[in-house]
Amino acid sequence: MSANSFAMNRNVPVNPSFYRYALTGIFLLLFFSAVHSQTSLRGSVERIKVHGKGLEGNLEGDSPDRDVSIYLPPSYKAESKRRYPVVYFLHGFTDNDAQWYGVTKHWINLPTVVDKVFSEGQLQEMIIVTPNACTRYRGSMYSNSATTGNWEDFVAKELVSYIDQHYHTIPKSTSRGLAGHSMGGYGSMRIGQKHPEIFSSLYLLSPCCLTPGNNRPVSPEAIAKLEAVKSPEDIEKADFGTQATFASAAAWSPNPTKPPFFADLPIENGQLQPTIAAKWAANAPLAMIDQYVTNLKQLTALAFDAGNRDQSIAASIKVLDQVLTSYKLPHTYEEYEGDHLNRIAERIEQKMLPFFSKNLLKR
């Protein structure tokens, strides 16, 4: 007798709880299968040290052995022969890699955001790499400098070389992306427009410092705070703007003969120093972009966005959009409802990761 005929035979008594138990069992089976599926689709994070030859001897005294956080996608450990695209993600000023990767509590947890995307199975998996660029003055600006060390070279050359040698990457520019938030967005544009042979796709999240002169202190109050700093230890206690000024000076106007900061400030004795201000302006991506149009044309894709309440940055990426448009360079530009921080996780999930999934080659 079949199960169906057994169930339908009215002469055979069936305990009503039979169906309830059966349905409960099926529900639990489906539930635990779903939980197991979600668990198996989580990536893992490794935090390693990478030595930067070009960071040796920097005048800030920062270690050339840098912490680097690496997100390995869910299938990475199980599929040893598979190779993956890599996104190099650069954090912002005063941040570090540990904060972004959940080692210490922060306003964002990048692995959690990425896991959510990959668990849905709609995007191609990728490795994500973030170096700790928090220096003595709270940020390297991802620039080459005797004072901070050669951070631009470290990211574009030394770090990429190390990751390709030690992880299952696709070691081609067409499978490498560069992205970042705030100072990291600046670094991504600065480095990316110089090195299309290394990175093929760029995504800038609320990139700072694109426009010449925008990050220089101008108010009497800001200048007074700047001139009150007498030692590197004072910088640690200073406000955000003062710290950013010293970090920028260390990166863009280094002076090995001028201890204890080994940098020239754009303001001295309350007066603008035109030569120093010119050095800062020369490091603004919008000032150098015309030199790199040929490089930008080699990119597979370029995208950038910012919140409309992040006013100075929103204004700067509007100019970037206009410049790229004038050169007929394909790109994606968006200004959205938000500020400098409040929707970054959402932008990474809904915009940045799909962007790289689409534009980075899988082989």
Side-chain angles (χ1 to χ4, degrees):
M1 181 179 291
S2 68
N4 285 339
S5 61
F6 176 83
M8 296 299 294
N9 189 336
R10 296 182 180 179
N11 295 323
V12 179
V14 178
N15 189 330
S17 63
F18 170 82
Y19 294 107
R20 185 168 62 252
Y21 292 142
L23 289 173
T24 301
I26 292 170
F27 173 79
L28 290 174
L29 179 62
L30 292 173
F31 174 79
F32 286 116
S33 295
V35 170
H36 176 75
S37 175
Q38 290 177 5
T39 302
S40 64
L41 287 174
R42 289 179 182 167
S44 59
V45 172
E46 294 184 359
R47 197 162 189 241
I48 63 171
K49 294 277 189 183
V50 177
H51 182 79
K53 184 72 176 175
L55 301 180
E56 293 177 355
N58 68 83
L59 299 177
E60 285 186 2
D62 293 314
S63 173
D65 297 312
R66 306 305 302 182
D67 291 315
V68 177
S69 289
I70 303 166
Y71 173 89
L72 300 174
S75 66
Y76 185 87
K77 293 184 178 180
E79 299 183 32
S80 60
K81 294 184 179 180
R82 180 175 172 182
R83 292 190 170 270
Y84 298 82
V86 184
V87 172
Y88 290 83
F89 187 91
L90 308 180
H91 66 73
F93 185 68
T94 73
D95 284 350
N96 59 52
D97 65 306
Q99 293 171 327
W100 273 77
Y101 282 71
V103 179
T104 58
K105 189 174 182 180
H106 199 41
W107 57 270
I108 193 167
N109 186 312
L110 184 59
T112 299
V113 175
V114 181
D115 278 342
K116 180 181 178 182
V117 173
F118 289 159
S119 67
E120 296 170 355
Q122 301 299 312
L123 303 182
Q124 70 160 316
E125 293 182 348
M126 60 196 78
I127 297 169
I128 303 176
V129 178
T130 299
N132 180 9
C134 188
T135 61
R136 185 171 190 179
Y137 298 156
R138 307 300 302 279
S140 70
M141 306 307 295
Y142 302 103
S143 304
N144 283 353
S145 159
T147 303
T148 61
N150 291 346
W151 272 93
E152 184 177 314
D153 292 345
F154 176 70
V155 171
K157 299 175 183 179
E158 295 183 283
L159 182 58
V160 168
S161 176
Y162 182 94
I163 297 299
D164 281 345
Q165 291 175 33
H166 292 82
Y167 291 87
H168 302 152
T169 69
I170 303 171
K172 301 176 182 178
S173 62
T174 50
S175 298
R176 286 194 208 101
L178 183 61
H181 172 248
S182 194
M183 179 185 77
Y186 163 82
S188 297
M189 188 62 187
R190 177 192 179 95
I191 295 170
Q193 69 181 354
K194 294 182 180 182
H195 295 288
E197 81 285 3
I198 298 174
F199 306 103
S200 65
S201 301
L202 313 178
Y203 199 109
L204 322 177
L205 294 152
S206 306
C208 79
C209 317
L210 298 184
T211 306
N214 264 13
N215 57 330
R216 193 173 66 234
V218 292
S219 72
E221 181 184 6
I223 293 172
K225 289 179 179 179
L226 192 67
E227 294 184 338
V229 174
K230 303 300 181 184
S231 70
E233 290 72 28
D234 290 339
I235 296 175
E236 297 174 7
K237 298 175 287 186
D239 65 291
F240 182 93
T242 301
Q243 290 179 339
T245 299
F246 274 94
S248 299
W252 302 332
S253 51
N255 186 341
T257 67
K258 197 173 181 180
F261 305 113
F262 300 105
D264 289 316
L265 295 173
I267 304 292
E268 188 171 329
N269 298 321
Q271 300 298 313
L272 176 68
Q273 304 299 300
T275 301
I276 306 308
K279 290 183 178 183
W280 282 39
N283 280 276
L286 283 171
M288 64 175 84
I289 191 170
D290 301 286
Q291 305 168 42
Y292 296 107
V293 169
T294 301
N295 286 355
L296 290 168
K297 287 181 177 178
Q298 297 176 46
L299 295 175
T300 301
L302 169 61
F304 46 92
D305 59 29
N308 59 359
R309 296 199 299 277
D310 199 4
Q311 294 181 359
S312 63
I313 288 179
S316 70
I317 66 167
K318 185 175 183 178
V319 176
L320 177 59
D321 168 58
Q322 294 167 348
V323 173
L324 294 173
T325 300
S326 71
Y327 280 112
K328 295 181 171 59
L329 284 165
H331 63 282
T332 300
Y333 155 64
E334 187 177 355
E335 185 177 319
Y336 57 88
E337 176 65 35
D339 58 32
H340 195 60
L341 302 178
N342 70 331
R343 294 182 64 186
I344 296 302
E346 176 187 314
R347 303 300 294 182
I348 291 172
E349 174 190 341
Q350 298 181 8
K351 300 292 182 176
M352 190 192 88
L353 290 174
F355 168 86
F356 285 121
S357 179
K358 174 183 177 182
N359 292 298
L360 298 183
L361 296 186
K362 292 181 280 188
R363 59 178 60 85

